[in-house]
Amino acid sequence: MLFLMKTLRFTTLPGDGIGPEVMEVAVKVLQKLGNLYNFSIESSSHDVGGIGIDNHGEALPESTLAACKKVDAILFGSVGGPKWENLPPKEQPERAALLPIRKAFELFANLRPGNLYPELCDLSPLRSDTVANGIDTLCVRELTGGIYFGQPKETTTLDNGEKQAVDTMVYRTEEIERITQLAVNAAALRDGRICSVDKANVLETSVLWRETVINCVQKLNPNIELTHMYVDNAAMQLVRDPNQFDVLLTENMFGDILSDELAVICGSLGMLASASLGTQKNSFDLPFGLYEPAGGTAPDIAGKGLANPCAQVLSAALMLRYSFGLEEAAQSIENAVKETIRAGLRTGDIAMGKKATGTSEMGQAIIDRLQ
Ligand code: NAD
């Protein structure tokens, strides 16, 4: 029998601050995993963010974007830092790098796992009896529609001299269908439950949202257990009992707020990964995606070998799951991170009084536990 080895083509864009340190670990993890799961990786590293400005005069150099267009996924670090914070807002690394990438690849879906391991439950601001068994939830947020982008969006001066500002919340059926499809696929890989969050008692867009989500789930996978919740209640329920949610599906602004709420109740930015998936299919007929840690460049610890590599490593796991269809390999990474934490290894951000290990030691401990 002939076994064809999969080749995973992706770019790494480490960016600034701790980005390069944690990216190095993630790439090593993928290389080791390739031996175990019979895939090879073909990756190239490119400047983005502050280092893009320093080396090429722009946060998203043309050569970087061109390289990303040739591959199946982007593994992103994080960008920005004190050196560039006095630039005009439009030239700031985050805005000038991430927004054009989102636009170029039509990244319309943001998936943010909210994971807290039981061993780290004291990091959560929630009462320990609420999170004693950890947290395992996934927030699926629509990223390109809704009130952040709807037109008109303007401030005008009324006849009486008073100012008036308008933002427009708008959604089309197709925008709701495509995000629902991703949520259905994600839920099928988990516990099979979706809670769709809206404000259908007040907003027209939410009425359409709810109706479309119901039709879509029924059509795509009637085995998914679908429930609905108003956003104000969802914000409360998330702190009351985060584990009641398997997949939270919601529109752009509600998702912006709820995903940050989820991040904070999970305790440390150093542990949280995210995926942004696009409209384009890659050469595996899966969504092109950008995968990145939830946190930033952590300038306070950059270059010291102290950063927690878990968020970057877990972002690589999401890349395997969503852009390369390698579910078992993705789980292997997630289990290795879990086992590393269970074995008591801690970087400073999650040490809670224990002895802290450095980035590369933590990375090696994860690699040693890959199965
Ligand atoms: P931050 O996430 O970089 O840091 C906040 C705190 O969390 C710091 O104490 C930091 O040390 C800690 N932290 C974050 N990630 C960590 C990790 N992996 N390991 C250990 N500790 C970690 O947020 P900030 O300080 O507000 O922003 C710093 C810079 O990062 C800014 O320039 C900001 O614009 C940029 N930023 C970029 C992104 C992105 O690229 N997507 C996201 C957020 C912030």
Side-chain angles (χ1 to χ4, degrees), residues 248-327:
L248 268 168
L249 164 64
T250 192
E251 63 89 54
N252 202 346
M253 181 170 61
F254 300 160
D256 190 3
I257 298 165
L258 292 179
S259 59
D260 273 8
E261 186 184 340
L262 183 59
V264 83
I265 65 177
C266 286
S268 172
L269 283 173
M271 297 298 299
L272 296 177
S274 85
S276 296
L277 306 184
T279 51
Q280 298 170 29
K281 290 280 195 296
N282 64 19
S283 66
F284 293 91
D285 204 28
L286 289 166
F288 182 94
L290 177 141
Y291 300 86
E292 60 177 330
T297 55
D300 49 336
I301 54 166
K304 297 179 181 165
L306 301 175
N308 185 344
C310 291
Q312 190 75 62
V313 168
L314 292 167
S315 301
L318 295 182
M319 177 173 81
L320 296 182
R321 170 169 297 130
Y322 296 117
S323 283
F324 295 113
L326 295 170
E327 177 60 28

Side-chain angles (χ1 to χ4, degrees), residues 97-123:
L98 272 169
L99 291 189
I101 292 186
R102 279 191 192 154
K103 200 166 168 204
F105 296 102
E106 297 177 73
L107 303 176
F108 70 93
N110 185 239
L111 279 63
R112 293 255 293 258
N115 277 324
L116 173 68
Y117 305 137
E119 295 78 8
L120 299 181
C121 69
D122 287 340
L123 287 171

